Amino acid sequence: MGTAQLTAVPEPKYWHLRSVLLRAIDSEFSIGEVIPNERELAARFGVARATLRQALDQLELEGRLVRRRGIGTLVAAPRVGVPVSRREEGWPGGSREQAWHTVDCVSAPAAERLAQALGVPVGETVHTVRRLRVEQGQTVATESLHVPESVVAQVPEIRLSGAAAEADDHARSVLRRLERLTVDGESRAVELGVAEAEEATLLQRPPGTPVLVVTTQYASGGRLAALAVSTYRADTCRLTFGETGLVEVTPVAPVRTAS
Amino acid sequence: MGTAQLTAVPEPKYWHLRSVLLRAIDSEFSIGEVIPNERELAARFGVARATLRQALDQLELEGRLVRRRGIGTLVAAPRVGVPVSRREEGWPGGSREQAWHTVDCVSAPAAERLAQALGVPVGETVHTVRRLRVEQGQTVATESLHVPESVVAQVPEIRLSGAAAEADDHARSVLRRLERLTVDGESRAVELGVAEAEEATLLQRPPGTPVLVVTTQYASGGRLAALAVSTYRADTCRLTFGETGLVEVTPVAPVRTAS
DNA sequence: GAGTGGTCTAGACCACGAC
DNA sequence: TCGTGGTCTAGACCACTCC
């Protein structure tokens, strides 16, 4: 990583610094390696530390750097592709169910916003299943799956006996019934958000961390059966939406520039 | 917008400020309204301007505020839902084709990265169609649609005569042939990125603006026929992925918290 | 204790838009 | 010309990790 002069340019210093640093981490550092600390880099480039940090902020937002307090700034690994498309990925009982770890399930009367989103009367009982998605040993997403009681009520309960009934808890009970519910449609939206307190903690990130918020509406029997709000770490995740097409194209690193 | 004391709390000042400001813009301001300027807000809350700006940065990232140099800081409108799922939305000739405005089309030998992404030999001619997506009068996305010459060559050319031939240009020629190509599969990925120079200009945003990068692989006749890299403004867009399910659920504002 | 990134300050000047 | 947000500085102190 050379000293690299900062000649007078019409672009902001922090943006030029970003380019210089990007070239450096692409050519002179490998994944997981620690780059020089902020005070040294600032001195080397002849800028204030705050200006250098602005450049590092950009690269962190792009998922190219990871900063760890007390440790240093590391070159990040490429983002992991996380499939979210087919309903088997997210619906309880799906083929890749093991990716999701259920945390708990709370049942409460629906507040106005939630009731409206689910299309149920305010005050109807809604079960909310909290889950974590673990990919390659790392928690990459949290999810709140909201299901109205009136939907779950349609599914015949399976009576457990003896020890099995003892071990059963509320979360498992709701999940088991959802597994037997036929989902015949889903619709998604993706947008940028930030992780707040609890969410950030679950994702092992500080508050304000950028996340990709995925809102999924599951339909069953001609009505909205469930609403899932998932937040994925934007720094480490690339969401993939597969389709059962005729060919299975291999995922590649995104190409940003044409010629 | 009250003065609101900043009592000693374990959380950073800028994060607390964000909460206070968020409540204020939700309750005391309407969409498009200008909130007090940064110097006044900083004085009112008894913090440095840089600290206040950190809070505004967060809210801007969340799409709640828009800052305009020389004007002020405005309460942002809710994000617009932009459908990107069904292939009719993006493929030339689709039903909502009018959403995309073709800028130009350049043809050049594929560099290594692009060739690898398209699965063609390095140096093969690749057509790159640049397009802009306009939604509700605002440019919300730019796209580079890369198509290998070997794919376009399979489509029989339609001969134009007289004045029509004169008016035809390269972009239209490539697009007309793509319209006749049967797409039988597509696969997408979404991740967070930042807009660089030209891209940022097209989106009418400064460099470094966060964007949602959508990478789409189109399959045709058992091979990868085209690669589209689209960048959507993250501040104003919510990407929606519809599915031809049995019901058409109405999109709702995302609900982040359960109980 | 030493070194790292995270937060915060109190200024300064610039670029842009409205008047 | 004035007010706005955008950039930049040169410090300070804190929280965390490692030795």
Side-chain angles (χ1 to χ4, degrees), chain A residues 114-187:
Chain A
L114 183 56
Q116 188 190 341
L118 284 169
V120 299
V122 172
E124 174 174 335
T125 297
V126 171
H127 307 287
T128 299
V129 181
R130 291 276 287 183
R131 300 192 294 176
L132 294 180
R133 181 157 185 174
V134 179
E135 211 75 34
Q136 298 177 16
Q138 186 192 234
T139 302
V140 296
T142 76
E143 182 182 86
S144 288
L145 179 64
H146 306 284
V147 190
E149 166 62 21
S150 56
V151 168
V152 180
Q154 298 172 335
V155 182
E157 176 75 276
I158 303 179
R159 289 258 166 246
L160 297 180
S161 57
E166 300 283 333
D168 202 35
D169 60 15
H170 189 203
R172 270 197 286 268
S173 166
V174 171
L175 282 172
R176 258 190 305 108
R177 293 209 272 184
L178 288 181
E179 289 173 15
R180 298 160 49 80
L181 192 68
T182 306
V183 175
D184 42 39
E186 68 195 76
S187 163

Side-chain angles (χ1 to χ4, degrees), chain B residues 12-14 48-51 69-71:
Chain B
K13 282 188 186 178
Y14 77 89
R49 188 175 159 222
T51 303
R69 199 202 303 241
I71 305 286

Side-chain angles (χ1 to χ4, degrees), chain A residues 189-225:
Chain A
V190 179
E191 65 184 312
L192 181 59
V194 303
E196 313 218 357
E198 316 133 88
E199 220 158 31
T201 305
L202 290 171
L203 294 175
Q204 301 165 313
R205 295 288 298 165
T209 298
V211 289
L212 296 171
V213 181
V214 181
T215 308
T216 308
Q217 297 172 303
Y218 293 98
S220 177
R223 66 168 288 192
L224 179 56

Side-chain angles (χ1 to χ4, degrees), chain A residues 74-86:
Chain A
L74 292 69
V75 177
R79 289 185 173 131
V80 296
V82 182
V84 294
S85 181
R86 296 168 293 260

Side-chain angles (χ1 to χ4, degrees), chain A residues 17-160:
Chain A
L17 274 178
R18 169 191 167 276
S19 312
V20 173
L21 291 169
L22 189 52
R23 264 194 300 277
I25 65 180
D26 272 336
S27 62
E28 300 174 33
F29 293 88
S30 47
I31 293 168
E33 200 170 340
V34 179
I35 72 174
N37 71 61
E38 298 181 350
R39 289 164 179 87
E40 175 173 343
L41 285 178
R44 198 184 293 192
F45 290 111
V47 299
R49 188 176 157 219
T51 303
L52 177 88
R53 278 181 61 82
Q54 233 180 316
L56 295 182
D57 286 344
Q58 287 280 343
L59 293 170
E60 195 180 27
L61 193 67
E62 298 174 59
R64 302 301 306 266
L65 292 177
V66 179
R67 291 196 272 191
R68 297 210 188 130
R69 185 169 2 200
I71 305 286
T73 302
L74 292 69
V75 177
R79 289 185 173 131
V80 296
V82 182
V84 294
S85 181
R86 296 168 293 260
R87 73 180 56 97
E88 300 84 43
E89 300 289 349
W91 193 256
S95 59
R96 271 173 50 87
E97 169 70 10
Q98 66 282 2
W100 289 99
H101 295 232
T102 301
V103 175
D104 59 13
C105 176
V106 298
S107 302
E112 186 179 2
R113 268 200 317 173
L114 183 56
Q116 188 190 341
L118 284 169
V120 299
V122 172
E124 174 174 335
T125 297
V126 171
H127 307 287
T128 299
V129 181
R130 291 276 287 183
R131 300 192 294 176
L132 294 180
R133 181 157 185 174
V134 179
E135 211 75 34
Q136 298 177 16
Q138 186 192 234
T139 302
V140 296
T142 76
E143 182 182 86
S144 288
L145 179 64
H146 306 284
V147 190
E149 166 62 21
S150 56
V151 168
V152 180
Q154 298 172 335
V155 182
E157 176 75 276
I158 303 179
R159 289 258 166 246
L160 297 180

Side-chain angles (χ1 to χ4, degrees), chain B:
Chain B
M1 189 180 289
T3 304
Q5 74 300 342
L6 282 174
T7 58
V9 281
E11 67 186 354
K13 282 188 186 178
Y14 77 89
W15 188 253
H16 185 228
L17 274 177
R18 168 191 168 275
S19 310
V20 174
L21 291 169
L22 189 52
R23 263 194 302 274
I25 65 180
D26 272 337
S27 62
E28 301 175 33
F29 294 87
S30 47
I31 292 169
E33 199 171 341
V34 179
I35 72 173
N37 71 59
E38 298 181 350
R39 289 166 180 86
E40 175 173 343
L41 284 178
R44 197 183 294 190
F45 291 112
V47 299
R49 188 175 159 222
T51 303
L52 176 88
R53 279 182 61 80
Q54 232 179 318
L56 295 182
D57 286 344
Q58 288 279 344
L59 293 170
E60 194 181 27
L61 193 69
E62 298 174 59
R64 303 301 306 265
L65 292 177
V66 178
R67 290 195 273 190
R68 294 207 191 135
R69 199 202 303 241
I71 305 286
T73 302
L74 294 68
V75 177
R79 289 187 173 130
V80 296
V82 182
V84 294
S85 180
R86 298 168 292 260
R87 72 179 59 96
E88 299 86 42
E89 300 290 347
W91 192 254
S95 58
R96 272 175 50 88
E97 168 71 10
Q98 66 281 5
W100 289 100
H101 295 234
T102 301
V103 175
D104 60 12
C105 175
V106 298
S107 302
E112 186 178 2
R113 267 199 318 174
L114 182 56
Q116 188 191 340
L118 284 169
V120 299
V122 173
E124 174 173 336
T125 297
V126 171
H127 307 288
T128 299
V129 181
R130 291 275 285 183
R131 300 191 294 177
L132 293 180
R133 181 158 186 172
V134 179
E135 212 75 37
Q136 297 177 15
Q138 185 191 234
T139 302
V140 296
T142 75
E143 181 182 87
S144 289
L145 179 64
H146 306 286
V147 189
E149 165 62 22
S150 57
V151 168
V152 179
Q154 298 173 335
V155 182
E157 177 74 277
I158 301 179
R159 288 259 165 244
L160 299 179
S161 58
E166 299 282 334
D168 202 38
D169 60 14
H170 188 203
R172 272 197 284 267
S173 167
V174 170
L175 283 172
R176 259 190 304 109
R177 294 208 273 184
L178 288 181
E179 290 173 14
R180 297 161 49 81
L181 192 68
T182 306
V183 175
D184 42 38
E186 66 195 81
S187 165
R188 279 192 181 74
V190 178
E191 64 184 311
L192 180 60
V194 302
E196 313 219 355
E198 317 134 88
E199 222 158 29
T201 305
L202 290 171
L203 294 176
Q204 301 163 312
R205 295 288 298 163
T209 298
V211 289
L212 297 171
V213 181
V214 181
T215 308
T216 308
Q217 297 173 303
Y218 293 99
S220 176
R223 64 168 289 191
L224 179 57
L227 177 70
V229 180
S230 320
T231 62
Y232 288 79
R233 284 180 56 157
D235 56 345
T236 56
C237 291
R238 185 178 74 247
L239 308 183
T240 64
F241 295 79
E243 191 186 66
T244 48
L246 295 184
V247 293
E248 192 62 40
V249 278
T250 56
V252 294
V255 178
R256 295 295 301 279
T257 51
S259 54

